[in-house]
Amino acid sequence: MTHRKGLVLDFGGVLTTPLLPAVLAFEEREGLSRGALINALYLDPEAVRRTQELERGSLTQDEWNAEAGRALGIPGENLLGRVFADLRPETSVIAAAAAARRAGVKVGILSNSVGLSPWNLYEGYDLDRNYDAVVISERHGLRKPEPEIFALVLKMLELPAGDCVFVDDTEEHLAPAADLGFATVHAREPRETVARLEELLGVALGGAA
């Protein structure tokens, strides 16, 4: 196997704990029925459009919060911060990314933003210091799975797709990356993800079975 020289990581659900348990805990705290958030915001076409605008930076987080709060019948104040209040760093994957960099692998972040204010998903992770390239969708007016945003992170890493691995917890983002030449990893369980990265990068990352 030819080992890859670059690693591109999604953020939420890859470098953090999974999103769905945080969403379910939010619903319980707010007295919502199970699945209410997903049904109201991610299965309704207009709500999906607003979320895509949020990711591109053409809708502010406050605007998204207000509309989503109305749809759910709850206060919109800092809604995304409340939804994802239970997210924590996924320390094993963060440590694996650091080990890859120490071994000479270029490591980038490619994340669909949910706005940066009033709640900042990335706060405390020091992305600019810990990674070789950081692409946050709203800063560029692009979002996954658009090919242009993958091309942007490759340009910043100065590597072709065929030299890189892409990791995401959202399966629909993987096929466009694979079409460009990335090796792809669907992040479902951290130990499994780290083990697969060891195979693809040819680097001991620690913690893999």
Side-chain angles (χ1 to χ4, degrees):
M1 175 188 288
T2 300
H3 294 128
R4 306 283 173 134
K5 302 173 183 177
L7 172 60
V8 178
L9 300 163
D10 177 36
F11 185 82
V14 175
L15 296 184
T16 75
T17 49
L19 306 184
L20 182 58
V23 169
L24 296 177
F26 161 79
E27 291 174 342
E28 185 173 351
R29 287 194 303 271
E30 296 283 340
L32 298 170
S33 61
R34 187 180 178 91
L37 183 72
I38 292 170
N39 289 332
L41 303 181
Y42 297 102
L43 298 181
D44 174 74
E46 179 60 21
V48 169
R49 183 191 63 78
R50 286 197 300 271
T51 298
Q52 291 177 353
E53 288 184 356
L54 174 70
E55 291 169 343
R56 287 197 179 92
S58 56
L59 191 73
T60 70
Q61 190 182 110
D62 278 330
E63 289 169 335
W64 189 96
N65 285 342
E67 291 292 333
R70 279 192 285 272
L72 291 166
I74 60 175
E77 184 178 359
N78 192 31
L79 181 55
L80 277 168
R82 287 156 42 213
V83 169
F84 293 119
D86 289 349
L87 287 186
R88 298 292 181 268
E90 189 58 74
T91 54
S92 63
V93 180
I94 292 171
R101 281 191 88 202
R102 290 194 298 271
V105 175
K106 290 186 176 181
V107 183
I109 301 297
L110 178 55
S111 176
N112 278 356
S113 173
V114 291
L116 302 174
S117 177
W119 177 71
N120 187 347
L121 172 64
Y122 312 103
E123 187 173 0
Y125 288 82
D126 204 359
L127 298 184
D128 290 329
R129 182 174 68 86
N130 291 324
Y131 301 92
D132 299 295
V134 178
V135 175
I136 307 298
S137 63
E138 74 167 73
R139 294 175 177 168
H140 305 281
L142 299 166
R143 60 181 293 276
K144 293 177 292 184
E146 295 165 354
E148 294 84 359
I149 200 166
F150 292 100
L152 178 59
V153 74
L154 290 170
K155 181 178 179 180
M156 293 171 68
L157 289 173
E158 299 181 323
L159 288 171
D163 281 351
C164 294
V165 182
F166 175 61
V167 182
D168 204 304
D169 65 323
T170 301
E171 193 168 11
E172 70 183 62
H173 296 161
L174 299 177
D179 288 344
L180 293 171
F182 284 90
T184 61
V185 176
H186 187 195
R188 288 169 289 200
E189 195 281 320
R191 183 179 293 271
E192 175 187 296
T193 297
V194 173
R196 182 64 179 138
L197 289 178
E198 288 194 328
E199 294 174 9
L200 291 167
L201 299 174
V203 174
L205 300 177

